[in-house]
Amino acid sequence: MTTTASIHRSPLAAPPIEPAVAVAALRHAAGDPTAVAVIDGATGETVTRGELAARSAAIAAGLRERGIGRGDLVAIAMPNFAWWPVVAMGVWRTGAAIEPLSPLWTADESARVLQRAMPSLAVAFAPVAPAVGEALRAAAPDVQLVVAGGDAPLEEQLAGDPGDPYAEPDLSPTDLAAVPFSSGTGGLPKGVRLTHGNLAAGAAQAIVTLSTGGPLDADAVVLAAAPFFHSIGLTLLLCGGLVAGATIVTVPIPKLDAIVPLAAAHGVTHMAIPPPVFEAMATSALLDEHDLSSIRSLVTGGAHVTPGVEDGLSDRLGCMARSGYGMTECTCTISAPLGRMSTAGTVGWLVPGTEARLIDPETGADADGDEPGELWVRGPQVMEGYHGLPEETAACVTPDGWLRTGDLVQIRADGQLEIRDRFKELIKVSGASVAPAEIELVLREHPAVSDAGVIGVPDSTRGEAPMAFVALAAPAEPDELAQFAAARLAGYKHPREVVVVDDLPRSPTGKLLRGALRERAAMAARA
């Protein structure tokens, strides 16, 4: 770690960056088409590099026949199956960008996202297609929905004349590649515009991040246990795996009883898993039943993990098991273990090519010495901006490229980062970000609710859970309101408790005073 003035830098130089993930993957395919690119953990289906090239070329041709090309978005709503990278590659080969949707979202949630980033076409896994179809009818009734895993095979619905399966697409690092959704530093979900340069840089950083204990290369086997609609799954595992030429094993439902057998069966070398699974793995007897000696590197991110869990799992597996840190607005990773064992309780060092500043939240100046501050970062992984939201982009990214993370961070003398707290209002439920504003919006849709406020409260199993306070304009029971919200939100967003109050604390300008709500919740917990 070097420091010039108040700028901290990664201890490693910026790695070489491919022009685009799709280009790197096709070069691997042309070099060795028989090597396995993807293994579907649910079905056992294997997709060779050559098949990935041929199928994605056919998908691209079919999309072009439907008028899809540069400037368009194609929504993808499916769990981690082998078809996910095939469709993504096909979209990228047309010059269009992917819009990942969570298969866990309700129709209302998907509609809110689709209204903010209108796709030209959507691809959905059959079981979630009805909810996506309902969302499209509400937000974009003219958008075609293609169902994967239904009666008609996906390749029959979308495929066209593939031509040369290894032909590299003409993609610029500045071209839009993906618009995943994030709640940023608060508020409703916003589309994050990631370019091909962003994804390629994130993939290069992922290769460094995951190479502790052994290189992430063409001989590696990556377990994709984080969903591809999330930045960790999309960038760290999918894009990192494709650029490295590794074999990617997909996991549709990231549960311990699926992850451990798959890791053993396929000789997985590198993996990233959600924090609850990471913690469960540290003590699970399931590990004693399977040979996991192939694992070289295991990382998690998205929520705090206790140092004892990190050290215990590292000792148990005989490899590095550590936490990293990042956000969708940085494509994925900001800091991580870098080819060495980071200190438990930290989130490692700034990834290659990344600069950081710590800003005093009171003065707006650079924090003094070893004092914590709001972390600002700059690097090739920083997003282009929020989709269709120039004011929100300007509030998050400075004109000279610094991204305000909203997190209170300490940088140790050895360069490792410690996450102290966060300014942003996001609630971290089992590592997933939940925007209070989204839950509040849903609750206010109930005819009896005049106002609503949501905070995160400690939860023994999930880290945090949403707790809602509502003011009523007409009689309603808390259970009724909880059921109303549950019908319109994914399970992890359900309020653990709904509390009826006379009014909600607000400033003279109308801003919700969440601190006062947290005090109420703390008092109730002590009572």
Side-chain angles (χ1 to χ4, degrees), residues 163-184:
D164 179 2
Y166 303 110
E168 296 179 7
D170 180 18
L171 299 173
S172 165
T174 59
D175 289 340
L176 186 65
V179 184
F181 272 73
S182 166
S183 296

Side-chain angles (χ1 to χ4, degrees), residues 377-455:
V377 296
R378 184 168 63 182
Q381 74 271 43
V382 171
M383 68 174 180
E384 182 181 74
Y386 290 121
H387 189 76
L389 299 170
E391 293 182 0
E392 285 83 350
T393 298
C396 186
V397 183
T398 68
D400 53 349
W402 290 102
L403 175 78
R404 301 177 172 99
T405 68
D407 289 321
L408 185 67
V409 173
Q410 174 90 44
I411 297 182
R412 298 172 15 146
D414 63 2
Q416 295 186 83
L417 276 64
E418 297 177 359
I419 309 301
R420 293 294 185 84
D421 204 343
R422 56 184 178 270
F423 302 115
K424 55 193 177 186
E425 301 296 346
L426 292 181
I427 304 167
K428 288 288 188 177
V429 181
S430 298
S433 296
V434 176
E438 184 176 17
I439 303 174
E440 291 160 2
L441 177 64
V442 168
L443 286 168
R444 285 198 294 267
E445 291 174 350
H446 191 285
V449 175
S450 60
D451 201 1
V454 174
I455 60 170

Side-chain angles (χ1 to χ4, degrees), residues 8-80:
H8 305 264
R9 294 183 173 86
S10 172
L12 299 182
I17 298 174
E18 295 286 348
V21 172
V23 171
L26 289 172
R27 289 175 181 173
H28 282 300
D32 186 357
T34 62
V36 176
V38 185
I39 300 174
D40 193 306
T43 66
E45 175 193 7
T46 61
V47 179
T48 66
R49 292 178 185 171
E51 289 169 337
L52 176 62
R55 292 184 186 181
S56 64
I59 293 289
L63 291 171
R64 291 191 196 98
E65 291 175 0
R66 288 161 175 77
I68 303 298
R70 199 174 302 274
D72 290 320
L73 294 177
V74 175
I76 303 176
M78 67 175 77
N80 288 15

Side-chain angles (χ1 to χ4, degrees), residues 38-355:
V38 185
I39 300 174
D40 193 306
T43 66
E45 175 193 7
T46 61
V47 179
T48 66
R49 292 178 185 171
E51 289 169 337
L52 176 62
R55 292 184 186 181
S56 64
I59 293 289
L63 291 171
R64 291 191 196 98
E65 291 175 0
R66 288 161 175 77
I68 303 298
R70 199 174 302 274
D72 290 320
L73 294 177
V74 175
I76 303 176
M78 67 175 77
N80 288 15
F81 292 134
W83 270 108
W84 218 110
V86 173
V87 174
M89 284 280 292
V91 173
W92 287 332
R93 296 181 75 163
T94 69
I98 62 173
E99 181 180 350
L101 305 179
S102 170
L104 301 176
W105 286 342
T106 65
D108 289 344
E109 289 169 304
S110 293
R112 287 194 288 272
V113 164
L114 293 169
Q115 287 168 348
R116 290 172 173 80
M118 196 67 66
S120 299
L121 183 140
V123 180
F125 181 49
V128 304
V132 176
E134 183 180 341
L136 287 171
R137 287 189 291 274
D142 296 330
V143 173
Q144 180 186 1
L145 173 63
V146 178
V147 179
D151 295 334
L154 185 61
E155 59 267 37
E156 291 183 7
Q157 299 180 70
L158 279 181
D161 181 5
D164 179 2
Y166 303 110
E168 296 179 7
D170 180 18
L171 299 173
S172 165
T174 59
D175 289 340
L176 186 65
V179 184
F181 272 73
S182 166
S183 296
T185 56
L188 294 172
K190 296 178 281 291
V192 176
R193 292 177 62 86
L194 300 178
T195 65
H196 283 286
N198 288 146
L199 288 183
Q205 291 166 339
I207 291 171
V208 176
T209 296
L210 290 173
S211 289
T212 300
L216 176 58
D217 56 18
D219 294 324
V221 180
V222 176
L223 189 73
F228 292 144
F229 65 81
H230 188 277
S231 61
I232 294 178
L234 175 62
T235 306
L236 197 71
L237 303 174
L238 178 59
C239 293
L242 289 174
V243 170
T247 298
I248 301 170
V249 181
T250 62
V251 183
I253 301 177
K255 292 185 176 180
L256 187 65
D257 57 0
I259 289 171
V260 172
L262 282 174
H266 296 289
V268 165
T269 57
H270 301 75
M271 54 195 290
I273 56 179
V277 178
F278 189 95
E279 293 184 338
M281 184 177 281
T283 57
S284 174
L286 193 61
L287 271 67
D288 300 325
E289 302 171 13
H290 297 274
D291 180 5
L292 299 180
S293 59
S294 61
I295 298 177
R296 305 170 190 164
S297 178
L298 172 63
V299 298
T300 190
H304 289 289
V305 175
T306 62
V309 168
E310 291 181 300
D311 282 337
L313 188 53
S314 296
D315 291 342
R316 193 172 186 193
L317 292 176
C319 71
M320 188 278 300
R322 284 291 187 264
S323 297
Y325 161 66
M327 57 193 302
T328 307
E329 286 80 356
C330 274
T331 306
C332 181
T333 314
I334 295 172
S335 68
L338 300 180
R340 46 184 160 164
M341 185 74 80
S342 62
T343 303
T346 74
V347 289
W349 295 266
L350 294 170
V351 293
T354 305
E355 299 176 309

